[in-house]
Amino acid sequence: MDYQLEVIVLPVADVDRAKEFYRRIGFREDLDYIDGQDFRVVHFTPPGSHCSIVVGKGIGTAAPGSAENVHLIVRDIEEARADLVGRGIEVSEIFHDADGVFHHAGNEKRVPGVYPGRLSYGSFASFSDPDGNGFLLQEVTERFPGR
């Protein structure tokens, strides 16, 4: 049985502001459905992704900006960071974790620069949408077996 992750719902306060942001970073808008004053679904897909995001109104109860560590996987972290910065997005400097491949919560274990030897899964950069939903770019150049 396959279980494919298809959509992540991101809580936002202002749907139009979120819509402008996700368009600006290059996500494809797949749907903007409105049903009255209290229901709206806006569906976006990042370039090259099989998983999408949804923002809207009346689609969840989480507080706006409460999503953390939504990973966007990229083949070249430096190129991806430069692309977002070129689109006017504030992106952290590239970092890796002091203790290993995956990052710790917060900033205390962040070491500046790419992971030594550019090991796949080891380099990150962070940014947030206008509501504070947190994203991480993660460089993956070679997948672990079975992926």
Side-chain angles (χ1 to χ4, degrees):
M1 176 64 62
D2 287 341
Y3 294 94
Q4 297 181 15
L5 183 61
E6 190 75 22
V7 174
I8 298 171
V9 177
L10 298 178
V12 299
D14 183 325
V15 178
D16 288 321
R17 179 180 67 185
K19 184 174 171 173
E20 186 279 327
F21 176 82
Y22 290 108
R23 277 182 175 167
R24 183 163 31 121
I25 66 172
F27 286 21
R28 182 187 70 230
E29 182 181 332
D30 300 313
L31 172 77
D32 187 346
Y33 175 79
I34 300 171
D35 185 13
Q37 297 276 337
D38 297 321
F39 189 79
R40 183 173 181 190
V41 177
V42 185
H43 185 273
F44 287 98
T45 303
S49 182
H50 293 283
C51 184
S52 301
I53 64 162
V54 167
V55 298
K57 184 176 183 181
I59 61 171
T61 59
S66 60
E68 295 182 333
N69 298 321
V70 177
H71 283 63
L72 296 172
I73 304 305
V74 297
R75 289 199 57 77
D76 185 319
I77 192 98
E78 292 167 326
E79 184 179 326
R81 183 184 180 282
D83 176 62
L84 289 175
V85 168
R87 294 172 186 265
I89 306 303
E90 188 176 318
V91 183
S92 76
E93 295 298 323
I94 295 168
F95 65 91
H96 62 280
D97 190 80
D99 291 339
V101 173
F102 202 77
H103 59 86
H104 284 77
N107 297 333
E108 72 180 67
K109 297 270 187 168
R110 289 186 179 185
V111 177
V114 297
Y115 193 86
R118 273 321 255 273
L119 180 66
S120 199
Y121 295 92
S123 300
F124 303 90
S126 62
F127 69 97
S128 297
D129 74 6
D131 284 285
N133 291 307
F135 288 83
L136 284 163
L137 300 175
Q138 182 180 27
E139 185 174 78
V140 177
T141 55
E142 185 177 333
R143 294 272 182 192
F144 291 142
R147 289 286 319 260

